[in-house]
Amino acid sequence: MTEKAPRVPVAMRLRNNFLAGLIICAPIAITIWLTWTFIHWSDSWVRPYIPERWNPESYINFAIPGFGLLTAVIIITIVGFLGKNLIGQSIVRFGESIVQRMPLVRTIYRSVKQIFETVLKEQSNSFKKVGLIEYPGPGLWALVFIATDAKGEIGSKFNAMGEDMVAVFLPPTPVPTAGFLIFVPREKIVMLDMNPEDAAKFLISGGLVAPEHLPVLRPKPKAISKVD
């Protein structure tokens, strides 16, 4: 006669069902909450600047979630369309010439514009590649996002020393929005196949959520190419 499987206590079954439900419900609830919070945050910034006669909330007795966000997207798209023609470019250059005359404002404007141009450039590979570097010491490895090749004065100094350096962003766990900018020799970077989204999940989860990867036989670690 075969032995009967031990009966699971009711309390343990309830606990397991609760944990299974938590795994299903928690991501859905957090996603909805974050989305709703972002929509309300966007509306609170944009809605006060919408003329009352163009605001549908002036004619109805309830608020329309997301109307401010939708208005901002439409306005930004229109500005981008107008900024591509000759008249729009002239207006943008005139506005920038005024900003360039303001000592503190021009520094902030140049920095912010350069960041957006670098990150949003269609052909740029910045922050689209992930790698490993030995940090904070030999034998210890850290996950990094590849930013760009060393440029400007820093790049020229490295070139004079015969060094081919790459700027990488080293984010902390579990909040990858802050971190360190480190210059690493190109040959010291071990490139990974995972995309930035999977790398961010890996960091936020503290290494618990690792992306699936089929092992590939390689003679040596993949070298990093030039970064735009």
Side-chain angles (χ1 to χ4, degrees):
M1 295 178 62
T2 58
E3 296 183 0
K4 294 183 179 180
R7 189 173 181 179
V8 180
V10 176
M12 184 173 293
R13 281 186 289 176
L14 291 176
R15 172 182 172 274
N16 293 339
N17 291 336
F18 172 78
L19 293 177
L22 186 64
I23 293 174
I24 297 173
C25 296
I28 298 175
I30 294 174
T31 301
I32 294 175
W33 177 77
L34 289 175
T35 304
W36 192 257
T37 302
F38 176 74
I39 291 175
H40 277 275
W41 176 79
S42 302
D43 288 348
S44 65
W45 275 88
V46 179
R47 191 183 295 119
Y49 300 100
I50 301 177
E52 187 175 352
R53 59 179 179 177
W54 293 349
N55 191 345
E57 297 178 8
S58 303
Y59 307 100
I60 56 180
N61 296 325
F62 58 89
I64 303 177
F67 180 75
L69 177 61
L70 178 62
T71 302
V73 171
I74 294 174
I75 292 176
I76 292 174
T77 304
I78 294 175
V79 170
F81 172 76
L82 296 177
K84 288 184 176 181
N85 58 45
L86 183 60
I87 298 177
Q89 291 178 357
S90 301
I91 296 175
V92 172
R93 283 195 295 267
F94 175 73
E96 289 183 342
S97 64
I98 296 177
V99 174
Q100 297 295 341
R101 296 187 178 94
M102 303 178 182
L104 179 61
V105 176
R106 67 185 178 190
T107 304
I108 299 175
Y109 176 76
R110 287 175 183 173
S111 301
V112 174
K113 183 179 180 181
Q114 189 172 10
I115 291 173
F116 273 86
E117 286 179 344
T118 303
V119 175
L120 299 179
K121 186 179 178 182
E122 293 183 359
Q123 297 179 350
S124 175
N125 289 323
S126 299
F127 297 102
K128 293 183 180 180
K129 296 180 180 179
V130 183
L132 292 172
I133 64 171
E134 285 191 293
Y135 183 90
L140 304 176
W141 294 86
L143 192 68
V144 295
F145 295 93
I146 310 302
T148 182
D149 295 336
K151 298 179 180 179
E153 180 182 0
I154 296 177
S156 63
K157 294 292 184 181
F158 283 134
N159 292 335
M161 293 186 294
E163 297 285 351
D164 184 14
M165 308 293 283
V166 178
V168 300
F169 177 69
L170 175 65
T173 300
V175 184
T177 54
F180 302 96
L181 176 65
I182 303 176
F183 291 93
V184 185
R186 191 181 303 276
E187 66 275 7
K188 297 291 185 179
I189 302 176
V190 178
M191 296 302 300
L192 301 177
D193 294 327
M194 71 172 66
N195 56 47
E197 291 78 12
D198 290 336
K201 295 177 186 176
F202 185 76
L203 288 168
I204 293 173
S205 67
L208 296 177
V209 181
E212 296 183 1
H213 178 68
L214 296 176
V216 179
L217 297 177
R218 291 177 181 152
K220 61 173 65 176
K222 184 169 58 176
I224 177 176
S225 57
K226 289 286 184 178
V227 183
D228 294 340

